[in-house]
Amino acid sequence: MTITPPALSVFETVESEVRSYCRGWPAVFDHAQGARLTDEDGHEYLDFFAGAGSLNYGHNNPVLKRALLDYLERDGITHGLDMATTAKRTFLETFQNVVLRPRDLPYKVMFPGPTGTNAVEAALKLARKVKGRESIVSFTNAFHGMSLGSLAVTGNAFKRAGAGIPLVHGTPMPFDNYLDGQTPDFLWFERLLEDQGSGLNKPAAVIVETVQGEGGINVARPEWLRALAELCRRQDMLLIVDDIQMGCGRTGAFFSFEEAGITPDIVTLSKSISGYGLPMSLCLFRPELDVWEPGEHNGTFRGNNPAFVTATAALEAYWADGGALEKQTRARGEQVEQALISITEENLVDIKEYRGHGLVWGIEFHDKDRAGAVARRAFELGLLVETSGPQSEVTKLLPPLTITGDELDEGLRTLARAVRETAV
């Protein structure tokens, strides 16, 4: 496929230089359905990006779209702050019946604002309020958002530098296998906690991703997560799981921590919780942690009622049927893994490692510029993939969970070609 770069004059002259994705994908996209986008020149692209994980059910999912259109056509509430509405009530009842009760999770639900970083800020603030301590422990290569509190527990140096001020009260610890298995899990962390001379202030909480998406597709082992949960319990620290990108079925189960058999004290959700790409986030926490005063944490757009409508439709369509989507996601994940094995065998000299879980995967190259080259060539061939990792050294695969087996095969063949054609 030959791509003619569009005239981007208005984007270049009016929009800020901060824009990023459009630089790697120089097209003006016009419409999308399922796992495919089409630009205004009629070129079609298979989407292995899925709105950075916000479109787990694909673009313009017909079931969700019908629910949204019906709601809008009857003049349902659009903006509601934290007022009680029928859309919010229906979502809360459905979320409780479909997600929380079957998993024996007693969480209270907070609507902190429309984005993932809003949910993380609420989680950090609540943990500090409950424990009366300031320090939060995070992990190497973590990513938790772009606002100041979230950046303080984010590892990426480039993103942290954008804050422009010191980022305080956050302490990084090694993520699973960060030291290549040379040191027992949590040896350093626990020693610091027990040594009165370590200089580590007693943390209020630990925040962790079970799979670090932006950090390079680093997958924590279930036993590592269980050991972390036990450490938090022994040391009187709250455990926060950031499930913003890996929740809502991305790893298979609805919550990414289910496989490890742990119950975090606080969970953050966003991205695909609305199901349709509409802004929405949740902060979930054990009932005894609900020590907020009315209005102590709020936000104008925390009552996005159209998002409640599509979120309810997504839960009913994909999570109330006994696990069909979870089984399909695991099967699709095996399909990806087999393709990545073949790609790696074909490119043994170039590829350092492939890794992933469910329908999130990454290929790390020895040449740290190679991942970007693969992503650019994939775009030219009609496939959208992004990069991740501290130096963008990983090509990241994040297709919709609803992608068909044939579409997944097509995208994987295109990826293999992009890897092959960027070989030096």
Side-chain angles (χ1 to χ4, degrees), residues 57-107:
Y57 313 108
H59 295 269
N60 288 301
N61 182 290
V63 175
L64 279 56
K65 180 166 66 174
R66 185 70 265 159
L68 177 60
L69 291 174
D70 288 346
Y71 183 76
L72 295 177
E73 286 171 354
R74 73 168 184 82
D75 290 331
I77 299 293
T78 295
H79 180 273
L81 293 163
D82 69 357
M83 294 183 291
T85 65
T86 55
K88 183 197 281 188
R89 179 176 60 200
T90 303
F91 168 73
L92 285 169
E93 290 172 346
T94 305
F95 190 71
Q96 184 178 48
N97 291 332
V98 172
V99 176
L100 298 181
R101 280 181 177 156
R103 293 163 178 81
D104 197 26
L105 296 173
Y107 295 139

Side-chain angles (χ1 to χ4, degrees), residues 282-295:
L282 305 178
C283 187
L284 314 175
F285 39 82
R286 292 191 285 107
E288 60 269 29
L289 303 181
D290 193 8
V291 298
W292 294 114
E293 296 290 335

Side-chain angles (χ1 to χ4, degrees), residues 18 28 44 61 74 85 94 105 165 187 198 253 255 287 371 374 411:
V18 78
V28 178
E44 192 175 83
N61 182 290
R74 73 168 184 82
T85 65
T94 305
L105 296 173
I165 61 171
L187 177 66
S198 70
F255 293 109
V374 169

Side-chain angles (χ1 to χ4, degrees), residues 28-32 38-41:
V28 178
F29 296 103
D30 181 63
H31 59 277
T38 306
D39 68 20
E40 61 184 5
D41 294 326

Side-chain angles (χ1 to χ4, degrees), residues 238-290:
L238 297 179
L239 176 61
I240 305 169
V241 168
D242 181 339
D243 234 4
I244 287 166
Q245 189 169 82
M246 297 304 152
C248 302
R250 176 55 58 181
T251 64
F254 185 86
F255 293 109
S256 70
F257 56 81
E258 290 183 52
E259 183 180 338
I262 63 173
T263 302
D265 300 294
I266 303 176
V267 180
T268 59
L269 284 176
S270 187
K271 292 195 182 283
S272 276
I273 186 60
S274 81
Y276 203 72
L278 298 176
M280 178 178 173
S281 73
L282 305 178
C283 187
L284 314 175
F285 39 82
R286 292 191 285 107
E288 60 269 29
L289 303 181
D290 193 8

Side-chain angles (χ1 to χ4, degrees), residues 172-325:
M173 290 291 164
F175 191 71
D176 191 13
N177 203 40
Y178 184 74
L179 300 173
D180 300 320
Q182 297 178 28
T183 303
D185 296 337
F186 309 114
L187 177 66
W188 172 243
F189 189 5
E190 195 150 20
R191 180 67 181 270
L192 290 177
L193 289 169
E194 294 174 351
D195 183 358
Q196 296 299 306
S198 70
L200 175 66
N201 293 334
K202 181 78 171 185
V206 175
I207 185 167
V208 68
E209 303 155 276
T210 66
V211 180
Q212 295 181 327
E214 299 304 311
I217 318 301
N218 306 311
V219 183
R221 293 166 296 141
E223 57 267 32
W224 187 86
L225 292 168
R226 287 191 290 270
L228 176 61
E230 176 58 23
L231 175 61
C232 288
R233 187 195 64 77
R234 289 198 315 271
Q235 296 287 347
D236 187 34
M237 302 179 296
L238 297 179
L239 176 61
I240 305 169
V241 168
D242 181 339
D243 234 4
I244 287 166
Q245 189 169 82
M246 297 304 152
C248 302
R250 176 55 58 181
T251 64
F254 185 86
F255 293 109
S256 70
F257 56 81
E258 290 183 52
E259 183 180 338
I262 63 173
T263 302
D265 300 294
I266 303 176
V267 180
T268 59
L269 284 176
S270 187
K271 292 195 182 283
S272 276
I273 186 60
S274 81
Y276 203 72
L278 298 176
M280 178 178 173
S281 73
L282 305 178
C283 187
L284 314 175
F285 39 82
R286 292 191 285 107
E288 60 269 29
L289 303 181
D290 193 8
V291 298
W292 294 114
E293 296 290 335
E296 189 175 8
H297 187 96
N298 56 29
T300 304
F301 295 101
R302 64 195 183 281
N304 185 353
N305 282 256
F308 296 155
V309 170
T310 55
T312 300
L315 294 177
E316 291 174 340
Y318 294 103
W319 296 101
D321 61 356
L325 182 63

